[in-house]
Amino acid sequence: MVYGVALKVLQSQPEAEDLTQEIFLSLWQRPVDSTKHGHLMRYLIVMTRSRAIDKLRSHSRTLNLVQRWGQNVTAAPPAHTPVEQAVFNERSQQVRQALAQLSVQQRQVIELAYDAGLSQSEIAQQLHKPLGSVKSWTRQGLLKLKQLLRDSID
């Protein structure tokens, strides 16, 4: 039932599987007090739906951030003024410095995703690594990039 709700909201089998595991791990670590939450099934459905929606929102925000930076950094500037060129060069340098602070795996999966346009499944196949590891490296790398570049964003 938990997996079904997660799959319906996330529309991704691997992400639904990950969320199902997270839900049951959370339940194992902090058992539900039935006097506070009533029916366990209702509680699990609400928790699963809420966390799935949170995952979608978080993933969307992170991708939007990286896409905005990617557009600013990778777009070839058409005849910019010297000031615009200086800003572009400064942003490019900031992104390169931030990428340099990531682990090798994090930087590699992010570059394959955004430069080569590969999906996480394709990256896992190309690197001969488990999909879960690729997802984890991507998420951790994007969160670190967000933290490192937060002050520079418009």
Side-chain angles (χ1 to χ4, degrees):
M1 186 245 348
V2 170
Y3 174 75
V5 171
L7 184 60
K8 186 169 185 145
V9 174
L10 295 171
Q11 299 291 312
S12 166
Q13 184 178 353
E15 288 189 27
E17 291 170 356
D18 289 346
L19 182 60
T20 301
Q21 183 176 3
E22 289 174 24
I23 296 291
F24 283 107
L25 181 61
S26 172
L27 191 60
W28 176 262
Q29 292 172 339
R30 285 173 277 137
V32 178
D33 182 1
S34 60
T35 60
K36 290 182 182 177
H37 298 291
H39 297 292
L40 179 63
M41 290 298 233
R42 241 184 273 152
Y43 174 77
L44 286 173
I45 290 170
V46 169
M47 183 188 339
T48 303
R49 183 177 176 278
S50 297
R51 288 197 184 178
I53 290 170
D54 289 346
K55 273 186 175 287
L56 289 175
R57 288 180 182 152
S58 174
H59 186 65
S60 174
R61 272 188 246 118
T62 304
L63 284 177
N64 287 338
L65 169 71
V66 172
Q67 286 173 346
R68 281 196 346 223
W69 267 97
Q71 290 169 353
N72 289 338
V73 172
T74 60
H80 289 300
T81 66
V83 172
E84 291 172 331
Q85 188 62 43
V87 169
F88 177 80
N89 291 340
E90 183 179 338
R91 282 189 176 176
S92 296
Q93 182 62 30
Q94 289 171 337
V95 171
R96 281 193 296 277
Q97 288 174 347
L99 282 169
Q101 293 181 44
L102 300 179
S103 72
V104 173
Q105 295 91 354
Q106 292 170 348
R107 183 173 47 254
Q108 188 176 29
V109 296
I110 289 173
E111 287 173 348
L112 287 171
Y114 292 96
D115 293 343
L118 299 179
S119 70
Q120 290 180 327
S121 298
E122 293 168 333
I123 294 170
Q125 289 174 348
Q126 183 171 336
L127 298 178
H128 306 291
K129 300 291 183 186
L131 179 60
S133 296
V134 170
K135 287 182 177 189
S136 178
W137 294 331
T138 303
R139 177 169 167 63
Q140 291 167 354
L142 291 175
L143 289 173
K144 188 166 183 180
L145 277 177
K146 179 180 177 182
Q147 178 186 13
L148 293 168
L149 298 172
R150 181 178 291 137
D151 297 334
S152 304
I153 298 171
D154 296 335

